[in-house]
Amino acid sequence: MAVGLRGDDMTEQQYFAQPDATEWTTLGPGNTRRVLIHTPELMQVEFGFDKGAVGAPHSHPHIQVSYVAEGSFEVTIDGVTQVVGQGGSFIVPSGFVHSVVALEKGRLVDVFTPHRADFL
């Protein structure tokens, strides 16, 4: 359950999100996503990957920082590829083409600024 507080503009803003507050969405073979919490300026999203699942090459205007919560991933950003394991992080600047391949079952926790309206 998400818990909100009222801000000065009298709209409800979520400041807390409990572990099962949001449901997983299936994106394709071996890929799932759930939005954890967001404001207009910021969004946190968890992605689940089966071994071998791909986050296809794409770009977006948002700045993204990703934390490898579980597993390891082959990460390509603007043509540069590295393997990033559990506990590692990477940043994707606005407009850069990027992709991932799950080398084992894993999870990424991504933060986007501004929020990804296409995920809501």
Side-chain angles (χ1 to χ4, degrees):
M1 176 172 90
V3 178
L5 301 173
R6 287 197 176 269
D8 291 339
D9 64 358
M10 300 304 290
T11 60
E12 188 159 327
Q13 171 60 59
Q14 302 299 318
Y15 290 100
F16 303 94
Q18 297 301 325
D20 296 321
T22 56
E23 294 185 21
W24 289 91
T25 300
T26 300
L27 302 174
N31 293 340
T32 56
R33 171 184 74 211
R34 67 180 179 153
V35 174
L36 300 173
I37 197 164
H38 65 90
T39 70
E41 300 83 17
L42 193 66
M43 174 180 272
Q44 186 179 52
V45 181
E46 183 176 12
F47 290 87
F49 293 84
D50 290 342
K51 181 178 181 178
V54 173
H58 66 285
S59 66
H60 44 73
H62 314 83
I63 298 169
Q64 173 183 334
V65 61
S66 299
Y67 172 75
V68 180
E70 177 184 345
S72 64
F73 293 83
E74 182 181 271
V75 180
T76 302
I77 303 168
D78 196 34
V80 177
T81 301
Q82 287 194 17
V83 172
V84 183
Q86 184 172 337
S89 298
F90 56 93
I91 290 177
V92 181
S94 175
F96 278 39
V97 174
H98 57 287
S99 61
V100 300
V101 176
L103 301 176
E104 56 191 294
K105 181 178 177 164
R107 290 181 302 115
L108 295 175
V109 177
D110 293 355
V111 175
F112 299 95
T113 185
H115 80 269
R116 297 276 312 253
D118 56 323
F119 285 5
L120 298 176

